[in-house]
């Protein structure tokens, strides 16, 4: 059950549900099977406005509140988690950073593109490196000044939208500390190579990015020189809400698929839905689903009130991602042997859910953040 929704929010939810059922659901299995990027879908996502959901109307977006945004992301997560990831990174990690820290010129240059109003293209968030994931503060990508310009060298790993987008927020060390740079993906020396063979999110663009003497002007710095890590952490507060909403969508999909299967599948002369132990599986999915939805919607509510929600985002991200993994596992169990093939979607739900306890801060890192919040003692130092 959702929080009480306004008429506009309920309308957005219905729009998102209809769009995702029509445009995402029918192709999700084939895209997953073939690891194909949803080329034809991206223009439709721009057209319907979802890729610009939280970007203000003056910059070409829909100007929606975060609750509405979460409703869209939940529907995308329910139908195709690869597409959900694409939207979350574009808005939760990239557009929100530019909105919060960008100059008027940077907003005017990039936000209409990320929203799809002109020269549409996706944004990527380049923090992780091959040897530096949970501890980005030790990154080795480096930007040096050259007159008015900066020259960036380094490599980034697992970058969503990193080879098929238009912009990457690249985090690199400078003499004054980690700095965020707005790097066009067509800049000389920027190379994004798609990664294949992933367990899940197989239709998503996940790239290894190499930066070789990438030259950007001084005004490509986002926020202040040396304050990049602050931008990354702040944007992760937004990204984690969106991730939690997407995971709730996976849990909803697990419930829908499991209820349908349990009603149709018969053993011992009756539908398996009538067996108490199957009902336990279904009820446990539902319990985790309802708790997940309450948690992400609480974060959205805080965001819409203008409150900071670092801890609440971390709680929602941790719970909803782990709940999605539990629920996908339960859904496979309900489906028996058929759950182990891609004739049914629950195997994909499990593979897609699995990454969500890893990215945007692993479950272990989240617990250390919560531990520091509760005890006042940092396990990182
Ligand atoms: P590591 O940091 O090496 O961790 C390995 C294990 O050690 C984990 O279990 C971790 O919890 C544990 N560990 C590490 N440190 C501690 C500690 N102090 N205490 C206890 N346990 C610890 N990154 C981006 O920047 N942008 C993206 O768009 C992006 N998209 C991604 C998409 C996909 C599909 C994937 C798989 C990853 C993506 N990532 C992205 C990277 C992701 O955020 C990292 O994989 C994640 O932060 C973990 O880093 P790591 O893989 O280097 O693991």
């Amino acid at each position: 059950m959702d929080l009480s929704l306004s008429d506009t929010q309920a309308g957005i939810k219905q729009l998102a549900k209809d769009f995702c059922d029509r445009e995402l659901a029918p192709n999700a299995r084939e895209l997953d099977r073939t690891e194909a990027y949803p080329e034809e879908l991206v223009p439709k996502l721009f057209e319907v406005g979802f890729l610009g959901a939280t970007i203000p109307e003056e910059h070409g977006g829909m100007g929606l509140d975060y609750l509405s945004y979460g409703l869209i992301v939940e529907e995308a997560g329910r139908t195709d988690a690869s597409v959900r990831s694409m939207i979350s990174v574009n808005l939760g990690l990239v557009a929100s950073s530019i909105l919060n820290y960008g100059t008027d010129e940077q907003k005017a240059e990039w936000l209409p593109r990320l929203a799809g109003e002109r020269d549409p293209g996706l944004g990527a968030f380049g923090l992780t490196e091959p040897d530096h994931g949970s501890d980005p503060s030790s990154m080795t990508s480096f930007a040096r000044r050259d007159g008015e310009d900066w020259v960036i060298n380094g490599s980034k790993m697992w970058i969503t939208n990193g080879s098929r987008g238009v912009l990457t927020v690249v985090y690199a060390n400078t003499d004054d500390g980690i700095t965020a740079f707005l790097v066009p993906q067509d800049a000389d020396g920027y190379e994004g190579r798609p990664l294949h063979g992933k367990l899940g999110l197989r239709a998503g663009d996940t790239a290894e990015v190499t930066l070789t003497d990438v030259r950007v002007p001084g005004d490509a710095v986002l926020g202040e020189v040396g304050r990049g890590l602050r931008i990354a952490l702040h944007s992760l507060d937004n990204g984690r809400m969106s991730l939690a909403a997407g995971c709730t969508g996976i849990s909803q999909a697990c419930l829908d698929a499991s209820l349908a299967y349990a009603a149709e599948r018969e053993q011992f002369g009756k539908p398996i839905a009538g067996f108490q132990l199957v009902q336990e599986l279904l009820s446990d999915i539902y319990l985790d689903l309802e708790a997940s939805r309450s948690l992400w919607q609480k974060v959205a509510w805080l965001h819409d009130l203008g409150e900071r929600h670092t801890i609440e985002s971390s709680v929602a991200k941790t719970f909803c991602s782990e709940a999605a993994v539990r629920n996908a596992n339960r859904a496979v169990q309900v489906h028996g042997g058929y759950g182990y093939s891609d004739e049914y979607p629950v195997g994909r739900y499990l593979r897609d859910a699995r990454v969500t306890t890893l990215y945007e801060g692993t479950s272990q890192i989240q617990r250390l953040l919560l531990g520091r919040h509760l005890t006042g003692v940092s396990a990182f130092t």
Side-chain angles (χ1 to χ4, degrees):
M1 205 177 69
D2 293 306
L3 284 181
S4 156
L5 301 180
S6 68
D7 288 349
T8 311
Q9 290 161 340
I12 291 289
K13 182 179 163 113
Q14 193 59 49
L15 174 72
K17 184 176 176 347
D18 293 345
F19 180 90
C20 292
D21 282 339
R22 188 177 67 246
E23 304 289 350
L24 273 61
N27 303 317
R29 181 173 78 166
E30 196 52 27
L31 292 171
D32 175 66
R33 266 187 181 168
T34 55
E35 290 192 54
Y37 186 72
E39 204 91 57
E40 290 164 14
L41 179 67
V42 177
K44 293 181 184 173
L45 286 166
F46 276 121
E47 198 181 318
V48 72
F50 293 167
L51 285 162
T54 53
I55 295 176
E57 287 175 281
E58 63 186 286
H59 295 300
M62 290 175 95
L64 296 178
D65 57 22
Y66 256 57
L67 186 57
S68 303
Y69 167 47
L71 294 167
I72 293 171
V73 168
E74 188 185 316
E75 287 303 321
R78 181 178 62 81
T79 40
D80 190 336
S82 297
V83 176
R84 194 282 305 160
S85 230
M86 180 191 294
I87 301 172
S88 288
V89 171
N90 192 57
L91 287 175
L93 296 180
V94 181
S96 79
S97 304
I98 298 174
L99 270 169
N100 287 327
Y101 296 95
T103 60
D104 288 346
E105 290 73 23
Q106 289 170 334
K107 290 177 190 172
E109 181 179 0
W110 288 111
L111 293 177
R113 298 195 67 185
L114 301 178
E117 193 191 48
R118 75 172 152 73
D119 304 329
L122 296 165
F125 177 79
L127 184 67
T128 305
E129 298 189 346
D131 295 328
H132 307 278
S134 298
D135 179 17
S137 63
S138 59
M139 69 175 58
T140 54
S141 293
F142 195 82
R144 67 173 167 79
R145 274 190 196 276
D146 185 22
E148 293 296 303
D149 296 344
W150 291 88
V151 178
I152 310 172
N153 280 283
S155 54
K156 297 287 170 183
M157 191 66 184
W158 305 116
I159 306 306
T160 306
N161 303 335
S163 74
R164 290 181 172 262
V166 292
L167 167 72
T168 300
V169 181
V170 171
Y171 291 87
N173 241 314
T174 68
D175 287 335
D176 297 310
I178 291 172
T179 302
F181 295 91
L182 298 175
V183 178
Q185 289 189 12
D186 60 5
D188 285 345
Y190 180 105
E191 190 191 355
R193 284 181 304 280
L195 294 165
H196 292 290
K198 286 177 295 176
L199 185 65
L201 301 189
R202 293 161 65 102
D205 167 25
T206 312
E208 179 172 12
V209 173
T210 309
L211 302 130
T212 311
D213 290 331
V214 173
R215 182 176 289 273
V216 291
D219 60 11
V221 170
L222 181 64
E224 292 171 48
V225 172
R227 304 298 301 272
L229 218 43
R230 190 166 143 253
I231 298 177
L233 296 178
H234 189 181
S235 60
L236 283 167
D237 288 352
N238 299 325
R240 286 172 186 157
M241 189 290 286
S242 161
L243 175 48
C247 288
T248 306
I250 296 179
S251 287
Q252 180 69 60
C254 291
L255 182 66
D256 295 344
S258 299
L259 284 176
Y261 188 79
E264 141 206 323
R265 175 73 173 172
E266 293 193 358
Q267 289 294 290
F268 299 95
K270 65 177 196 176
I272 61 168
F275 297 123
Q276 290 175 345
L277 295 180
V278 173
Q279 288 191 4
E280 181 185 45
L281 286 166
L282 297 171
S283 300
D284 284 348
I285 294 176
Y286 184 60
L287 288 167
D288 267 339
L289 166 65
E290 285 291 292
S292 295
R293 189 168 283 132
S294 303
L295 284 172
W296 84 250
Q297 295 198 349
K298 177 181 172 187
V299 180
W301 175 69
L302 288 171
H303 189 98
D304 290 335
L305 287 175
E307 307 272 339
R308 191 80 192 251
H309 47 74
T310 303
I311 294 302
E312 291 81 1
S313 284
S314 181
V315 169
K317 190 272 179 191
T318 309
F319 185 89
C320 298
S321 61
E322 294 180 2
V325 175
R326 284 194 294 273
N327 280 340
N329 216 6
R330 289 171 181 137
V332 170
Q333 196 68 20
V334 170
H335 283 69
Y338 291 99
Y340 201 64
S341 83
D342 72 358
E343 186 180 341
Y344 288 89
V346 289
R348 171 166 57 85
Y349 299 157
L350 182 58
R351 289 185 289 103
D352 285 349
R354 194 60 195 82
V355 74
T356 62
T357 69
L358 300 173
Y359 64 11
E360 300 204 20
T362 65
S363 281
Q364 287 72 33
I365 294 300
Q366 301 303 326
R367 283 177 170 78
L368 297 186
L369 295 173
L370 297 175
R372 183 175 64 188
H373 169 70
L374 293 170
T375 65
V377 182
S378 174
F380 296 111
T381 49

